[in-house]
Amino acid sequence: MTRVVVVTGATSGIGRAAALAFAARGDHLVLAARAPQTLAEVRAECAAAVAAAGAVTVETVPTDVTDPGAVDALARTALARFGRIDVWVHTAAVMAYGRFDELPAEVFDQVVRTDLLGAAAVARTALRRFRAAGGGTLVFTGSVLGHVTAPYMSGYVTSKWGLRGLVRVLQQECRDTPGVHVCLVSPGSVDTPVYQQAANYLGRIGRPPPPVTTPERVARAIVASVDRPRRETPVGKANLVLRFGFTVLPGLYDVLVGPLVRAAGLSRRPVAPHAGVVFAPDPTGEALRGGWRPDPVRAVRAPIRAGRALLRRLGTDGRRSHRLG
């Protein structure tokens, strides 16, 4: 059966990969994001992907999920065109790097407004339609950073923790409507442009720490969540290790996470303070991938550099403890 799928955040990374994956399956699409020109590019890519899938309609609706009424207007457009919404996939997110006290308040607030309150607006609109129709599947893209914390990404971490809590509440509230499903797909590091496009007040461009997976792999998990709804689907080999360390060994985790982020989660490329795409899109930087998949040499060197940084940190902490004793 051909489904009607709304994808918010469809112009870059995971959202773009999800749009292509649903198009290849023959589903009708309503694609939403902030940049109209990039939406047109994705629409063309989806049209090419459906050559073997039959006649598929792809609609695009420029949408900023933080604008009052924008998400409701998107839903009305989808219903006017197709008469129903079967699936809503929400992937829209922005990021900002910087120590919390050095991050401009308006940047932090806008990250939370986009990543958490924007998701809440989507949930409110989608669930009202799904309950009225007696069924539907809502899929959110979370993050391993909704289970653990890391320095220099306070707005993003706050939003993803809040999103996981919101999803859990929605899952509880939807138990009385068996046909309505709310799913969370939580990847670790993904090769998307979000790191280059992030706001930055830290002085070094961020990057996804290895191991880095592809947006296509996350998109497959999203499609699988629609086919067989699950409460949460982790994507990434390091997720369980990070969650174990954060929960079971919190003291050790806090000692190690800072050096690890600085060694593996920040590039050596300097950058002046800027707001990235937090307030407005940059179509020139939107793409399926971010070019972060490491070559074999860098893949070997990164853990070595991280290990050296940890040894230096542990040695410093040990000397400090000896002096205090």
Side-chain angles (χ1 to χ4, degrees):
M1 175 183 175
T2 299
R3 298 170 296 201
V4 177
V5 182
V6 176
V7 181
T8 36
T11 52
S12 196
I14 295 169
R16 195 166 185 157
L20 291 168
F22 283 111
R25 290 169 61 93
D27 293 321
H28 297 304
L29 292 169
V30 180
L31 307 180
R34 294 181 296 177
Q37 56 270 53
T38 316
L39 278 173
E41 294 174 7
V42 180
R43 180 178 184 174
E45 291 173 1
C46 289
V50 303
V56 171
T57 302
V58 182
E59 296 288 335
T60 58
V61 183
T63 304
D64 185 334
V65 297
T66 67
D67 288 344
V71 177
D72 280 337
L74 170 61
R76 288 195 297 269
T77 300
L79 291 171
R81 180 65 181 85
F82 297 107
R84 70 183 198 275
I85 300 172
D86 301 308
V87 177
W88 197 312
V89 176
H90 182 68
T91 67
V94 294
M95 186 184 293
Y97 285 94
R99 295 181 183 274
F100 174 73
D101 57 308
E102 297 174 353
L103 197 66
E106 61 272 18
V107 172
F108 177 91
D109 292 351
Q110 185 66 12
V111 170
V112 175
R113 188 174 295 115
T114 301
D115 296 2
L116 179 56
L117 299 185
V122 166
R124 189 176 297 112
T125 296
L127 290 178
R128 286 172 179 170
R129 270 67 181 181
F130 291 164
R131 286 188 184 277
T137 302
L138 174 60
V139 183
F140 287 107
T141 302
S143 171
V144 68
L145 290 177
H147 290 273
V148 306
T149 59
Y152 317 127
M153 291 179 283
S154 55
Y156 189 80
V157 171
T158 298
S159 299
K160 292 304 181 181
W161 274 73
L163 177 62
R164 184 165 64 90
L166 174 63
V167 167
R168 185 67 178 268
V169 170
L170 299 180
Q171 290 169 342
Q172 294 165 351
E173 294 180 351
C174 287
R175 290 178 63 85
D176 60 351
T177 313
V180 176
H181 305 282
V182 181
C183 307
L184 184 66
V185 174
S186 298
S189 295
V190 186
D191 182 16
T192 77
V194 69
Y195 307 92
Q196 298 100 315
Q197 293 199 308
N200 200 302
Y201 298 86
L202 198 59
R204 293 165 59 187
I205 294 177
R207 65 183 180 190
V212 181
T213 193
T214 66
E216 293 91 342
R217 183 183 174 192
V218 184
R220 289 194 295 271
I222 290 172
V223 172
S225 292
V226 174
D227 291 340
R228 291 188 175 184
R230 296 178 57 185
R231 297 172 64 86
E232 183 172 2
T233 303
V235 182
K237 296 178 180 178
N239 289 21
L240 291 178
V241 175
L242 289 172
R243 291 172 60 176
F244 176 86
F246 182 83
T247 304
V248 179
L249 302 168
L252 181 60
Y253 179 94
D254 286 351
V255 168
L256 301 182
V257 67
L260 280 172
V261 168
R262 289 190 290 272
L266 296 173
S267 72
R268 297 184 177 182
R269 294 165 55 192
V271 62
H274 66 92
V277 299
V278 168
F279 297 101
D282 176 10
T284 62
E286 294 181 328
L288 178 64
R289 294 196 181 191
W292 294 109
R293 294 275 285 181
D295 59 47
V297 174
R298 291 179 64 186
V300 171
R301 287 178 176 173
I304 293 175
R305 288 197 299 269
R308 288 172 176 169
L310 290 177
L311 289 175
R312 288 195 296 270
R313 174 62 180 272
L314 292 173
T316 301
D317 289 349
R319 289 192 296 273
R320 185 183 297 117
S321 298
H322 179 72
R323 288 195 299 270
L324 292 174

